[in-house]
Amino acid sequence: MATTSEAPETTQEEQIVLSLNEAFQTYVRQMPTDAKKAAQPEIAKFVRWLGPERLIDSIIPSEIGEFNEIFGAKTATRDAKERLSAVKLFLTFLKKKELIEINLAQHLRLRKSRTTSARARTSATPDTNTRLVRLTQSGYNEMTKQLTQLQEERVRIVKDIQRAAADGDVRENAPLEAAREAQGMTIGKIQEIEATLKVAVIIDAKQQEENRVQIGSKVELTETTSNKKVNYQLVEPNEANPLASKISIVSPVGSAILGQKLGDEVKVKTPRGEQVYKISKTS
């Protein structure tokens, strides 16, 4: 008598972990059209800052705090409030849908508005607390190039809007809606880069402390269990680009190796569990 084998039943549904970009698209799809226009560029900026391919369950509170510090905490303007509000609602959505375990939204805070007299006193003196952004020379050059491309893109989009608006009813005009959405995202990127370049300081490699990991350092890390080697350059969040092996100082790996010396071992919490890396090279 033939016997048949049955596949074991799944007792627990495997949770799918979304990338930040996938979570962003999921959130945007359920937003009302009017709210989407204002919020989408700001959330897109947040997604680019952390990295679109970043898994949402790997985001840590200190990274949210860093974003808060750079893009909103030092100002109490209406723009800053709207910017952080959009991102906060996005993070609240992720928690409500149980896509993340930590309530990251609580780490976005905005300073209370100052009194009129306080604002008057502040405006009369320079802001000595402005946070400088340290960039590598290549990062600065890349941002400058990207800014030029975006400014050219903005001109093209304006022409697209003019053409689409001339085609008929603006209330049911998909090309016009798409062009306006692209315009909002492009302007947001331009403002972000301009703000960064305004306070940018180019890192002088000659002034870097030898054998210690600092912003701008290029490092080789060796995973102690598998002996696998990876190479990174440590940069500010504004310059981070995982595809170019540039990691942010607030990322799990970046924050662990920042300030460490050649030969040191560091522990890094990853979605796969805790891993130990040895700093095998630095320059």
Side-chain angles (χ1 to χ4, degrees):
M1 180 176 177
T3 60
T4 58
S5 59
E6 296 182 358
E9 294 183 0
T10 301
T11 58
Q12 184 176 2
E13 184 178 354
E14 184 177 355
Q15 184 178 5
I16 298 175
V17 180
L18 301 179
S19 70
L20 193 53
N21 188 56
E22 290 171 334
F24 171 46
Q25 298 299 330
T26 300
Y27 177 65
V28 167
R29 281 195 293 268
Q30 56 83 49
M31 293 180 69
T33 302
D34 292 343
K36 187 186 302 184
K37 290 180 181 179
Q40 189 168 351
E42 300 302 338
I43 303 172
K45 180 187 297 183
F46 172 73
V47 172
R48 291 194 305 273
W49 187 78
L50 276 176
E53 302 306 317
R54 179 77 177 275
L55 296 181
I56 58 175
D57 68 348
S58 69
I59 302 172
I60 57 178
S62 62
E63 293 175 296
I64 304 301
E66 179 74 6
F67 179 85
N68 185 81
E69 178 71 13
I70 293 173
F71 295 106
K74 289 191 175 183
T75 61
T77 64
R78 180 180 177 182
D79 287 345
K81 290 179 180 179
E82 291 178 352
R83 180 184 308 125
L84 292 187
S85 177
V87 176
K88 193 165 189 174
L89 288 173
F90 171 53
L91 294 175
T92 300
F93 169 82
L94 298 183
K95 175 62 177 173
K96 185 176 180 180
K97 295 296 182 180
E98 298 183 346
L99 296 173
I100 55 176
E101 295 182 1
I102 303 173
N103 181 15
L104 297 173
Q106 66 181 342
H107 298 280
L108 282 177
R109 301 183 182 91
L110 187 64
R111 285 186 177 182
K112 295 181 180 180
S113 299
R114 300 173 180 175
T115 62
T116 303
S117 59
R119 283 198 300 268
R121 289 195 301 271
T122 303
S123 62
T125 58
D127 182 7
T128 57
N129 294 321
T130 299
R131 183 184 184 278
L132 298 178
V133 177
R134 290 163 289 179
L135 299 177
T136 62
Q137 184 65 61
S138 63
Y140 182 88
N141 294 343
E142 181 61 31
M143 281 192 180
T144 303
K145 179 181 177 181
Q146 187 180 6
L147 179 60
T148 300
Q149 293 172 338
L150 288 169
Q151 289 169 336
E152 293 172 352
E153 177 72 5
R154 180 168 59 178
V155 173
R156 184 190 65 77
I157 292 174
V158 169
K159 294 179 180 179
D160 289 344
I161 290 175
Q162 292 171 344
R163 282 195 295 268
D167 286 341
D169 189 352
V170 297
R171 293 172 298 178
E172 297 181 3
N173 191 326
L176 178 60
E177 176 70 19
R180 283 176 172 170
E181 186 172 313
Q183 183 185 46
M185 296 189 70
T186 300
I187 291 175
K189 291 178 184 178
I190 289 173
Q191 292 174 340
E192 178 184 348
I193 294 175
E194 287 179 337
T196 298
L197 294 178
K198 186 177 180 180
V199 294
V201 175
I202 306 299
I203 296 170
D204 186 351
K206 296 179 181 179
Q207 296 181 357
Q208 297 281 76
E209 184 178 346
E210 189 176 1
N211 293 333
R212 187 175 293 277
V213 181
Q214 301 158 84
I215 296 177
S217 295
K218 295 180 180 179
V219 299
E220 178 187 84
L221 302 179
T222 303
E223 207 278 313
T224 56
T225 302
S226 65
N227 210 36
K228 180 180 178 181
K229 300 181 186 298
V230 290
N231 291 276
Y232 296 117
Q233 183 174 23
L234 197 61
V235 296
E236 289 265 13
N238 315 62
E239 191 182 342
N241 181 1
L243 295 179
S245 297
K246 290 186 174 184
I247 60 170
S248 165
I249 57 174
V250 298
S251 66
V253 175
S255 59
I257 64 176
L258 181 63
Q260 302 300 319
K261 296 183 296 183
L262 180 66
D264 285 351
E265 291 188 355
V266 296
K267 295 180 180 180
V268 180
K269 291 184 178 180
T270 73
R272 295 177 296 170
E274 188 175 78
Q275 293 182 298
V276 180
Y277 291 96
K278 181 177 181 179
I279 302 173
S280 45
K281 290 182 182 179
T282 180
S283 61

